[in-house]
mmCIF file of all heavy atoms in Angstrom:
data_model
loop_
_atom_site.group_PDB
_atom_site.id
_atom_site.type_symbol
_atom_site.label_atom_id
_atom_site.label_comp_id
_atom_site.label_asym_id
_atom_site.label_seq_id
_atom_site.Cartn_x
_atom_site.Cartn_y
_atom_site.Cartn_z
ATOM 1 N N VAL F 111 -14.103 -8.695 3.760
ATOM 2 C CA VAL F 111 -12.671 -8.781 4.040
ATOM 3 C C VAL F 111 -11.991 -7.426 3.848
ATOM 4 O O VAL F 111 -12.534 -6.504 3.245
ATOM 5 C CB VAL F 111 -12.001 -9.833 3.128
ATOM 6 C CG1 VAL F 111 -12.600 -11.208 3.365
ATOM 7 C CG2 VAL F 111 -12.130 -9.436 1.648
ATOM 8 N N VAL F 112 -10.773 -7.332 4.368
ATOM 9 C CA VAL F 112 -9.935 -6.145 4.191
ATOM 10 C C VAL F 112 -9.200 -6.242 2.862
ATOM 11 O O VAL F 112 -8.661 -7.298 2.514
ATOM 12 C CB VAL F 112 -8.921 -6.019 5.350
ATOM 13 C CG1 VAL F 112 -7.977 -4.841 5.094
ATOM 14 C CG2 VAL F 112 -9.640 -5.844 6.678
ATOM 15 N N GLY F 113 -9.191 -5.132 2.124
ATOM 16 C CA GLY F 113 -8.471 -5.102 0.856
ATOM 17 C C GLY F 113 -8.632 -3.764 0.167
ATOM 18 O O GLY F 113 -9.438 -2.927 0.590
ATOM 19 N N GLU F 114 -7.884 -3.562 -0.887
ATOM 20 C CA GLU F 114 -7.905 -2.315 -1.645
ATOM 21 C C GLU F 114 -8.695 -2.477 -2.929
ATOM 22 O O GLU F 114 -8.629 -3.531 -3.584
ATOM 23 C CB GLU F 114 -6.484 -1.874 -1.984
ATOM 24 C CG GLU F 114 -5.629 -1.553 -0.779
ATOM 25 C CD GLU F 114 -4.244 -1.101 -1.202
ATOM 26 O OE1 GLU F 114 -4.146 -0.164 -2.020
ATOM 27 O OE2 GLU F 114 -3.266 -1.698 -0.723
ATOM 28 N N ILE F 115 -9.402 -1.424 -3.307
ATOM 29 C CA ILE F 115 -10.215 -1.483 -4.515
ATOM 30 C C ILE F 115 -9.347 -1.566 -5.769
ATOM 31 O O ILE F 115 -9.776 -2.095 -6.794
ATOM 32 C CB ILE F 115 -11.181 -0.279 -4.581
ATOM 33 C CG1 ILE F 115 -12.243 -0.499 -5.657
ATOM 34 C CG2 ILE F 115 -10.421 1.022 -4.791
ATOM 35 C CD1 ILE F 115 -13.362 0.531 -5.620
ATOM 36 N N GLU F 116 -8.104 -1.079 -5.704
ATOM 37 C CA GLU F 116 -7.210 -1.167 -6.860
ATOM 38 C C GLU F 116 -6.576 -2.545 -7.005
ATOM 39 O O GLU F 116 -5.961 -2.836 -8.039
ATOM 40 C CB GLU F 116 -6.090 -0.126 -6.750
ATOM 41 C CG GLU F 116 -6.560 1.310 -6.752
ATOM 42 C CD GLU F 116 -6.705 1.857 -5.331
ATOM 43 O OE1 GLU F 116 -6.875 1.031 -4.396
ATOM 44 O OE2 GLU F 116 -6.648 3.088 -5.151
ATOM 45 N N ARG F 117 -6.708 -3.387 -5.985
ATOM 46 C CA ARG F 117 -6.185 -4.756 -6.026
ATOM 47 C C ARG F 117 -7.181 -5.663 -5.298
ATOM 48 O O ARG F 117 -6.922 -6.128 -4.185
ATOM 49 C CB ARG F 117 -4.802 -4.835 -5.367
ATOM 50 C CG ARG F 117 -3.694 -4.195 -6.159
ATOM 51 C CD ARG F 117 -2.323 -4.478 -5.561
ATOM 52 N NE ARG F 117 -2.163 -3.757 -4.295
ATOM 53 C CZ ARG F 117 -1.674 -2.524 -4.208
ATOM 54 N NH1 ARG F 117 -1.320 -1.875 -5.298
ATOM 55 N NH2 ARG F 117 -1.535 -1.929 -3.042
ATOM 56 N N LEU F 118 -8.299 -5.921 -5.926
ATOM 57 C CA LEU F 118 -9.356 -6.687 -5.273
ATOM 58 C C LEU F 118 -8.917 -8.137 -5.054
ATOM 59 O O LEU F 118 -8.411 -8.779 -5.984
ATOM 60 C CB LEU F 118 -10.628 -6.657 -6.120
ATOM 61 C CG LEU F 118 -11.318 -5.293 -6.216
ATOM 62 C CD1 LEU F 118 -12.447 -5.338 -7.242
ATOM 63 C CD2 LEU F 118 -11.855 -4.855 -4.859
ATOM 64 N N PRO F 119 -9.128 -8.665 -3.855
ATOM 65 C CA PRO F 119 -8.687 -10.033 -3.549
ATOM 66 C C PRO F 119 -9.709 -11.089 -3.982
ATOM 67 O O PRO F 119 -10.116 -11.956 -3.200
ATOM 68 C CB PRO F 119 -8.540 -9.994 -2.019
ATOM 69 C CG PRO F 119 -9.596 -9.026 -1.576
ATOM 70 C CD PRO F 119 -9.649 -7.965 -2.659
ATOM 71 N N PHE F 120 -10.118 -11.019 -5.247
ATOM 72 C CA PHE F 120 -11.118 -11.938 -5.785
ATOM 73 C C PHE F 120 -10.706 -12.365 -7.189
ATOM 74 O O PHE F 120 -10.030 -11.627 -7.908
ATOM 75 C CB PHE F 120 -12.502 -11.271 -5.832
ATOM 76 C CG PHE F 120 -13.013 -10.820 -4.489
ATOM 77 C CD1 PHE F 120 -12.903 -9.492 -4.106
ATOM 78 C CD2 PHE F 120 -13.577 -11.726 -3.606
ATOM 79 C CE1 PHE F 120 -13.357 -9.060 -2.876
ATOM 80 C CE2 PHE F 120 -14.042 -11.305 -2.364
ATOM 81 C CZ PHE F 120 -13.927 -9.975 -1.997
ATOM 82 N N ASP F 121 -11.152 -13.563 -7.582
ATOM 83 C CA ASP F 121 -10.836 -14.095 -8.904
ATOM 84 C C ASP F 121 -11.585 -13.347 -10.002
ATOM 85 O O ASP F 121 -12.566 -12.637 -9.741
ATOM 86 C CB ASP F 121 -11.199 -15.588 -8.968
ATOM 87 C CG ASP F 121 -10.322 -16.440 -8.064
ATOM 88 O OD1 ASP F 121 -9.193 -15.999 -7.748
ATOM 89 O OD2 ASP F 121 -10.771 -17.537 -7.672
ATOM 90 N N ASP F 122 -11.148 -13.560 -11.223
ATOM 91 C CA ASP F 122 -11.794 -12.949 -12.376
ATOM 92 C C ASP F 122 -13.233 -13.460 -12.531
ATOM 93 O O ASP F 122 -13.533 -14.630 -12.226
ATOM 94 C CB ASP F 122 -11.029 -13.289 -13.662
ATOM 95 C CG ASP F 122 -9.627 -12.702 -13.682
ATOM 96 O OD1 ASP F 122 -9.284 -11.924 -12.769
ATOM 97 O OD2 ASP F 122 -8.879 -13.021 -14.626
ATOM 98 N N GLU F 123 -14.110 -12.576 -13.021
ATOM 99 C CA GLU F 123 -15.467 -12.936 -13.447
ATOM 100 C C GLU F 123 -16.212 -13.752 -12.394
ATOM 101 O O GLU F 123 -16.805 -14.783 -12.682
ATOM 102 C CB GLU F 123 -15.409 -13.681 -14.792
ATOM 103 C CG GLU F 123 -14.776 -12.838 -15.888
ATOM 104 C CD GLU F 123 -14.763 -13.505 -17.253
ATOM 105 O OE1 GLU F 123 -15.128 -14.703 -17.341
ATOM 106 O OE2 GLU F 123 -14.388 -12.839 -18.235
#
Side-chain angles (χ1 to χ4, degrees):
V111 299
V112 175
E114 297 181 53
I115 193 170
E116 297 96 337
R117 288 188 290 271
L118 292 172
F120 300 99
D121 293 336
D122 295 353
E123 300 183 353

